[in-house]
Amino acid sequence: GIFLIPYFIMLLVIGLPLFLMELSLGQYGAAGPITVWKCCPLLKGVGVAMLIVSSLVSLYYNVIIAWAFYYLGSSFQSPLPWSCDAPRNADLCQVGAVTVTCWGCVLQNTSGSAGRDSASEVFWNEQVLGVMHSSSLGDPGPVQWPLALCLLAAWILIFLCMLKGIRSSGKVVYFTATFPYLVILILIIRGATLDGSLNGVRFYLSSNWNRLQSAQVWSDAASQIFYSLGIGCGGLLSMASYNKFDNNVIRDTLVIAIGNCCTSFLAGFAIFSVLGHMAWRKQVPVGSVADSGPGLAFVAYPEAVSLLPGSPFWSILFFLMLFTLGVDTLFGNIKGITTAILDEFPALRDWRRKTALLGALCTAFYLLGLLLVTRGGIFWFILIDTYSTGFGLIIVALFMCLGIAFCYGTNQFCQDIVDMICRCPPWCSHMLSYFKVCWVFFTPCLLLFTLIYTFLDMYSVPLRYGTYEYPAWGTSLGVCMGVLTCLQIPVWATVALCRESGTLRDRFQKATQPLSSWRMATAQDMARDIIDVPFTITLTDSD
């Protein structure tokens, strides 16, 4: 509960300013994450870095969809294969009360007998992941073919939904973005009728004020805002580039960002009411059944759902919701990648070539993703998940903010926003004044704080999955992913400086000036505002 305070503060100081910056930049420039940096060629590397982050996220994120797809298919069985009612789990469920002690996974028997895994955990670790047959990061083992087929189905679905570009994916999103709200509402209503649900809600909203003194809490809040809003991955820039030029980006920012975070808060009631019932059934504290990471979605909550009457129905609803949410995320990432490539290589805009590009991307991501569905794939999943969107993503956002604020100029950027909105109401002007202060001072300072704490945390706390501690070479490999992202910024800045002439100072000034083609797209959009008057054109023979 106390987490909500830093969470919403980070939303106001980091989330909203950066969200508006990306939307405005994409809409005004009508271009993807790389080409849009015509406004400041020195920072083209920020766009390339966004492309790498988006690619790394796409590589592992569809594995989550594959897991949800696997559980969704398994939910059509009665009893559920991870429930105590399933015959294969009879021996596992003959223990007294059990409590989850960590999200990697050992469950301990509170009655004092030997510790053993729960039925849902055995299903997750042995049947889904097969991780019990892998010892480490260097021992991936064979591919789990049921998961590989689920991953293939997920990528085929992404390909088909995006085949006709923004129009086809936009229509699909009408369902995938609204269906989770219906499911959350149903789960909240159902959870409210369960015994012990209020204990879960109390645990969810409980406040430990001493936690506000922990820098970890504030750093986690900033990180969660990044992941939740999709900042720094290029998807927002790409989607905004398809907006009408006069679309009100400030209104969109407030509605989407605040609505998104309120949805996260609302979803917590659906989760913790059911976990409260699970704790009531087991006669243990709610904190002992709460979980984090993949363990919440694929161990703790499925176990809680299996205790409900009509459990297959609730399980189908929950995993269908996870599936649609995952598909939405992939739409944004893949659209960001394809838009960036098509902007840089306009010759690929032909429908056949565009289809071939999309097919090649999906195929490449599927083949690379097979490593993550091996028996030891979960170790690689955690590694990529931790480092692909770690310090590299924060540095990308920091340079984007500093570049617009001090190279392009906040006054010019705010004027661009006013030009797009045309009739800017008074409240928009007040909001822009607030955002300008954030872009220049508060947002960079908080990003710098989050970055420093991320580095300290990274070197003081070893990466673990359950009881397995990652070796030094594995951690180094993860750091290289983040470094690869960050390196794009100085590399492409050097390229931009080398293309200019004069002294280093002259080159720097030229490289920070917008290219002449920067406002060409916006001029075309504004043409409809020009009043037609009678005119005459005289053509010569050469014409």
Side-chain angles (χ1 to χ4, degrees), residues 421-432:
I421 299 177
C422 295
R423 298 174 183 175
C424 185
W427 65 269
C428 282
S429 300
H430 296 319
M431 291 299 298
L432 279 177

Side-chain angles (χ1 to χ4, degrees), residues 56 387-388 391-392 477-487:
L56 289 171
Y387 289 102
S388 63
F391 65 90
L477 186 61
V479 171
C480 286
M481 294 181 200
V483 171
L484 176 65
T485 301
C486 301
L487 276 178

Side-chain angles (χ1 to χ4, degrees), residues 13 19 33 44 48 273 339 466 497 500 502:
V13 183
F19 197 89
K44 184 177 181 178
V48 179
S273 60
T339 302
L497 291 173
E500 304 297 342

Side-chain angles (χ1 to χ4, degrees), residues 17 67 255 263 286 300 355 376 401 472 507 524 538:
W67 292 339
V255 172
T263 301
V286 179
T355 303
C401 187
R507 293 186 181 199
Q524 295 171 4
T538 304

Side-chain angles (χ1 to χ4, degrees), residues 349-430:
R349 290 187 180 276
D350 174 71
W351 188 81
R352 291 184 178 179
R353 292 176 179 175
K354 193 188 298 185
T355 303
L357 171 65
L358 179 61
L361 283 174
C362 292
T363 302
F365 282 131
Y366 170 70
L367 294 176
L368 291 171
L370 287 176
L371 173 64
L372 307 182
V373 293
T374 57
R375 288 179 173 176
I378 187 65
F379 299 125
W380 288 95
F381 175 89
I382 297 297
L383 183 71
I384 299 175
D385 179 36
T386 302
Y387 289 102
S388 63
T389 54
F391 65 90
L393 183 61
I394 300 172
I395 290 175
V396 168
L398 179 62
F399 273 89
M400 177 181 71
C401 187
L402 293 175
I404 294 297
F406 297 103
C407 294
Y408 187 69
T410 51
N411 290 332
Q412 179 61 56
F413 191 60
C414 289
Q415 184 58 49
D416 293 344
I417 296 174
V418 172
D419 290 343
M420 288 190 291
I421 299 177
C422 295
R423 298 174 183 175
C424 185
W427 65 269
C428 282
S429 300
H430 296 319

Side-chain angles (χ1 to χ4, degrees), residues 268-288:
F269 290 96
I271 300 297
F272 280 89
S273 60
V274 178
L275 290 181
H277 175 68
M278 176 181 172
W280 177 81
R281 288 279 296 266
K282 293 186 171 187
Q283 296 297 304
V284 295
V286 179
S288 64

